[in-house]
Amino acid sequence: MTDSTASKVWVLAGLPESLGEHLAQRLTQEGHRVVSATPNADAANHYDPGQAASWDSLFANAGTVDVVVLAITAGTESSLVDMSLSQFRNDNEANLIGNFLGIQAAFKAFEGRGGKIVTLGSASGRKGATASPTLAAGSGGLAMLTRASGVEGASHKPHIHVNGVLTDNHSLWPTVTASVGLDEIAEAILFLGGPGADYMTGSLLPVGASGP
């Protein structure tokens, strides 16, 4: 649960559709304003995750943003030996460069007033996986980017808190078989974006993620 007495502006960028809709509904019910954006070029709320100017425009149009939620967006199903270099490069550009630019733009939007960033990746970034090398590589890279950003954010006054969720859900990433519920994932994101996480940064919260 977030602090329902304080309405916040949440930007949800690149979340899988099922989770994005579920989380937006929860936030709206609690009285928050939600700005949902997708890299889908056919959508009205489209943004280009590979362009810094597109991120800046997204935040400028959203107004005074309090919480930003970013997610891994690409994970091609393939064995390592069968995956082409171009596919590996394209997926990791979407996952790492896109989220790097998103975090960078959020830092600029939060400068002088603080804020919270929550990243979402697959648990395969922690334990490895064979179904999608790029989902594992992208999630692992995003996890370390989250930690590094959290350390830098702690030096800002007020603080910029950056934390992440590592989980698996087949409806989010078809290459995984685990079935962690959307409610559990949403609850973790709500916690990290709320006042309960005011003393956390650079942390990774596993939700139903089994394995080493």
Side-chain angles (χ1 to χ4, degrees), residues 26-133:
R26 286 283 303 273
L27 289 166
T28 301
Q29 289 173 346
E30 293 186 14
H32 303 287
R33 186 167 75 86
V34 178
V35 178
S36 296
T38 174
N40 182 355
D42 296 327
N45 54 344
H46 165 71
Y47 73 105
D48 185 342
Q51 299 295 323
S54 186
W55 282 104
D56 291 339
S57 177
L58 171 62
F59 290 126
N61 292 334
T64 304
V65 178
D66 300 291
V67 185
V68 175
V69 184
L70 307 170
I72 287 293
T73 59
T76 300
E77 184 172 6
S78 172
S79 68
L80 183 68
V81 295
D82 291 333
M83 178 170 284
S84 67
L85 175 60
S86 62
Q87 188 62 66
F88 186 84
R89 180 180 287 123
N90 290 341
D91 281 6
N92 279 288
E93 182 170 343
N95 288 332
L96 295 180
I97 293 180
N99 281 304
F100 161 74
L101 291 174
I103 292 172
Q104 190 177 64
F107 264 63
K108 289 190 290 184
F110 290 151
E111 188 61 43
R113 57 184 183 83
K116 289 188 170 74
I117 301 170
V118 183
T119 65
L120 175 69
S122 165
S124 64
R126 178 173 64 93
K127 62 184 180 180
T130 58
S132 176

Side-chain angles (χ1 to χ4, degrees), residues 167-172 176-182 184-185 207-208 210:
T167 190
D168 276 330
N169 179 287
H170 184 72
S171 69
L172 305 187
V176 303
T177 57
S179 186
V180 180
L182 294 181
E184 287 80 4
I185 300 170
V207 179
S210 60

Side-chain angles (χ1 to χ4, degrees), residues 127 135 152:
K127 62 184 180 180
L135 181 63
E152 182 168 337

